[in-house]
Amino acid sequence: VRAANKVITGSLEGPASNFVEIQTSQDVPSAPVSLSVAAVDDTSLRVTWLPPLAPNGIIQFYQVFIAESVKSVFHSGTQNISTNTTETVIKGLAAYTTYTVI
């Protein structure tokens, strides 16, 4: 910040103040990219992804959401995954069943 006035003679600007550095707060990250799901065996799925392009802060964990729809009953679950990996294997699933992974 500088103060200035309209003095005809001399400098119009005074010295600058000391600077202050500040960082804005974190915001919601963008979605992870390149989500891929593959069957490991008849009851397990491997889920892989890449970090978000705009993390908007420090990613604390990833959350994998999996859902199954059976006879109009919606079953779901989540897994929290640490940030030192971008993959997980979901085990204990029902064989020959369709799942949605987000």
Side-chain angles (χ1 to χ4, degrees):
V1 177
R2 287 183 190 233
N5 59 27
K6 247 185 155 177
V7 172
I8 302 288
T9 59
S11 174
L12 295 177
E13 297 176 344
S17 63
N18 293 333
F19 70 89
V20 175
E21 191 172 297
I22 187 167
Q23 185 174 11
T24 57
S25 299
Q26 298 188 94
D27 196 5
V28 175
S30 62
V33 294
S34 300
L35 175 65
S36 176
V37 181
V40 175
D41 56 37
D42 60 343
T43 61
S44 301
L45 297 174
R46 178 180 312 280
V47 183
T48 62
W49 61 92
L50 294 176
L53 298 177
N56 294 324
I58 299 169
I59 303 295
Q60 301 295 317
F61 60 91
Y62 294 103
Q63 192 169 56
V64 177
F65 176 83
I66 185 164
E68 163 195 6
S69 181
V70 179
K71 296 180 184 173
S72 301
V73 178
F74 192 69
H75 301 281
S76 65
T78 59
Q79 282 189 0
N80 290 341
I81 313 299
S82 78
T83 58
N84 61 357
T85 186
T86 55
E87 75 172 52
T88 189
V89 174
I90 302 171
K91 298 178 181 181
L93 303 173
Y96 199 67
T97 303
T98 302
Y99 289 92
T100 300
V101 178
I102 301 173

